[in-house]
Amino acid sequence: MKVENLELVNEKYNVFSSFVGDVETDTLFTFSAKDSLVAKGFEATAGSMILKGYRPPFDATSIRKMREAGGFLIGKTNMDEFGFGTFSVNSAFGIPKNPFDTERSCGGSSGGSACAAAIFDNHVSLGVSTGGSIACPASFCGVYGLTPSYGRVSRYGLIDYGNSLDKVGLLSFRASDLRKYLPVISGIDEHDPTSAVQPDLKLGQKVMKSVAIPREALMEGNISKDVLKCFEESIEILKSMSIDVEYISMPILKYSIPAYYVIATSEASTNLARYCGMRYGQQEGDLTVKFDDYFSSFRSRYFGMEAKRRILLGTYARMAGYADKYYNKAVRVREAIIADYRKHFERFDAVITPTMPFISPKFDDISVMSALDSYKVDFLTVPPNIAGLPHLSVPCGYSEKMPIGLLFTSAHWNEDALIDIAERWDLAFDVRHADVIV
Ligand code: GLN
């Protein structure tokens, strides 16, 4: 649908945590952004009650660049609190509902961004991925989701989850938007030193010719029959595009999830230390009590359950004397995963797997999942994320009218090949619109 009636859209789909009253129609394009990216004129909450009322005085670099390119920011999108989740149900300002079926999740943690990309015509949304938060919602909402290499897009103005993992990227219904907007948001930014090492983004030079399928990824984690069938059909489509498809072995992938959750929660637990009721967002409280009682009561009251769990996990993993047992070991696993991918990228342009092991689940089914169950479903999206590799989810099929995604991971800085395949895929595959009724 056209970018209008945001209030009605939000009533039905909970896309935004905040949005504009009037959409300017004389701008070049409209965009939305995950609520962990700060933007002048909007509250920035990162899906957390603790940040309610925080109005940042500046734009994140990615938002500034989109605005300078002529974009009009229509709203900040709902997300799992600080990015902690896979279904956007840990969102303090409304749980986004899937445009294909409102009883199902949009995925997470950039769920609102994927929802906006699926609903609005000519619209692109900025998302952020730490362990799969662009690819997962792209898959569940049937849109393209591009996560660039770590360091390609500045993280300045991003409310961090895990600094060594966070990546800002794009979600859109149109594959052509990736070529259009990746150069806009990419580039060296003096405010984010990790953006400084990147080679120039050169597009239009690489063509995807060969892909590899890691056997273990398909066997390990209970991928549903409909997703496997769709994956097999996708392989046939790739072959018909003259792309070589081969099976490889990557046994190291099974360590990605434990290593990721150690690294991500360790970093998250230090990042969340700054929210103590004194600097950002909520600040009312009883100032007559001892300072640590003030901080604890504040943090107990306003952090959600999952944020508390991650703080406990991360703090435990970082405890003095435990570094070798958890954090340092996880970092070594990360290095081994990167080395293994590198070896395969000498022969192949990309590694492919399904994006998620199943179609978007119903909220009822999510409510009975344990925390560990939901951590485990990320086993296909975490590997490229822990390795900082660029990856792309494309819609590749439908089951029970719900979209299914196919995930391409390529070598560091090789977004070019991903954009090439996104556009060719768009010609070969008929991507469906959701029936949006407001
Ligand atoms: N689901 C993963 C997590 O909860 C990834 C989330 C993300 O990329 N922000 O950590």
Side-chain angles (χ1 to χ4, degrees):
M1 65 174 280
K2 276 201 188 142
V3 184
E4 58 188 18
N5 297 334
L6 301 190
E7 210 166 320
L8 288 179
V9 171
N10 217 39
E11 257 169 43
K12 180 154 179 200
Y13 296 101
N14 281 334
V15 189
F16 304 109
S17 50
S18 58
F19 55 91
V20 293
D22 289 311
V23 178
E24 271 180 32
T25 44
D26 58 347
T27 48
L28 283 179
F29 63 94
T30 64
F31 73 105
S32 51
K34 189 173 185 175
D35 201 19
S36 52
L37 288 162
V38 307
K40 258 193 248 168
F42 291 83
E43 235 183 31
T45 64
S48 181
M49 210 31 101
I50 209 160
L51 276 170
K52 190 167 169 35
Y54 171 54
R55 294 190 82 84
F58 70 109
D59 277 345
T61 299
S62 48
I63 293 202
R64 174 177 60 76
K65 288 178 155 189
M66 290 293 269
R67 282 180 158 160
E68 284 170 4
F72 179 76
L73 177 62
I74 59 167
K76 306 291 296 297
T77 57
N78 275 320
M79 57 180 282
D80 285 302
E81 183 172 16
F82 294 106
F84 304 152
T86 304
F87 304 109
S88 293
V89 293
N90 305 323
S91 157
F93 302 99
I95 298 170
K97 297 184 183 160
N98 197 299
F100 284 85
D101 176 353
T102 51
E103 296 197 353
R104 293 177 189 263
S105 163
C106 285
S109 62
S110 312
S113 288
C115 191
I119 288 179
F120 296 118
D121 298 337
N122 305 328
H123 184 77
V124 61
S125 195
L126 296 179
V128 180
S129 175
T130 307
S133 279
I134 293 175
C136 160
S139 165
F140 284 173
C141 292
V143 297
Y144 290 88
L146 176 69
T147 309
S149 310
Y150 175 77
R152 180 60 96 191
V153 179
S154 169
R155 288 177 296 114
Y156 182 65
L158 167 66
I159 298 171
D160 301 301
Y161 169 173
N163 309 41
S164 77
L165 295 157
D166 296 340
K167 300 163 285 294
V168 180
L170 301 165
L171 294 115
S172 180
F173 184 79
R174 298 172 301 185
S176 57
D177 278 352
L178 307 178
R179 184 182 299 284
K180 215 165 164 184
Y181 298 113
L182 181 64
V184 171
I185 58 172
S186 302
I188 296 172
D189 176 14
E190 61 176 22
H191 295 302
D192 173 7
T194 51
S195 72
V197 290
Q198 60 178 291
D200 287 348
L201 177 70
K202 291 195 189 114
L203 299 182
Q205 310 200 341
K206 293 223 174 83
V207 174
M208 189 163 293
K209 294 190 190 123
S210 58
V211 299
I213 304 167
R215 245 180 244 110
E216 294 78 3
L218 299 186
M219 281 157 12
E220 286 272 324
N222 280 333
I223 302 179
S224 71
K225 280 208 189 89
D226 45 354
V227 169
L228 278 178
K229 179 167 166 277
C230 180
F231 184 67
E232 275 154 24
E233 287 163 7
S234 302
I235 294 173
E236 294 312 310
I237 298 181
L238 291 173
K239 286 184 181 160
S240 75
M241 294 160 79
S242 311
I243 294 177
D244 286 338
V245 185
E246 258 184 61
Y247 282 86
I248 55 168
S249 174
M250 291 185 79
I252 184 85
L253 291 186
K254 67 168 172 286
Y255 300 111
S256 316
I257 286 278
Y260 166 78
Y261 276 96
V262 168
I263 295 172
T265 58
S266 297
E267 294 183 12
S269 65
T270 59
N271 277 323
L272 263 46
R274 65 176 70 109
Y275 306 112
C276 60
M278 298 205 69
R279 281 182 285 234
Y280 313 96
Q282 311 256 25
Q283 291 183 17
E284 90 291 353
D286 181 3
L287 290 168
T288 61
V289 297
K290 269 175 47 196
F291 71 89
D292 48 354
D293 289 338
Y294 174 84
F295 294 156
S296 322
S297 68
F298 200 88
R299 289 160 65 82
S300 315
R301 186 157 157 211
Y302 292 118
F303 276 139
M305 267 300 290
E306 189 56 29
K308 288 176 188 163
R309 192 187 335 264
R310 307 258 174 146
I311 291 172
L312 289 174
L313 257 173
T315 309
Y316 181 80
R318 289 186 294 108
M319 257 183 345
Y322 284 77
D324 279 336
K325 199 163 172 199
Y326 301 115
Y327 190 80
N328 294 343
K329 200 186 269 179
V331 169
R332 285 207 302 281
V333 169
R334 159 145 66 181
E335 281 159 11
I337 292 171
I338 294 173
D340 203 32
Y341 269 117
R342 281 218 173 110
K343 192 178 81 195
H344 294 294
F345 290 138
E346 282 167 18
R347 289 183 51 218
F348 300 98
D349 297 321
V351 165
I352 61 166
T353 64
T355 308
M356 295 305 288
F358 39 60
I359 57 168
S360 166
K362 294 206 161 136
F363 291 116
D364 284 348
D365 296 328
I366 296 169
S367 66
V368 295
M369 276 187 188
S370 70
L372 193 61
D373 289 341
S374 71
Y375 295 176
K376 284 197 207 151
V377 303
D378 293 339
F379 69 99
L380 298 166
T381 59
V382 156
N385 277 280
I386 196 173
L389 295 165
H391 53 284
L392 165 81
S393 181
V394 306
C396 70
Y398 300 85
S399 173
E400 297 173 48
K401 299 199 177 136
M402 296 305 295
I404 292 173
L406 170 67
L407 187 69
F408 294 85
T409 300
S410 69
H412 282 116
W413 313 118
N414 189 11
E415 288 85 3
D416 196 5
L418 296 179
I419 288 177
D420 167 68
I421 191 66
E423 288 176 342
R424 283 158 65 204
W425 185 266
D426 210 35
L427 296 174
F429 181 78
D430 206 6
V431 182
R432 290 184 201 161
H433 271 290
D435 294 327
V436 179
I437 305 154
V438 291

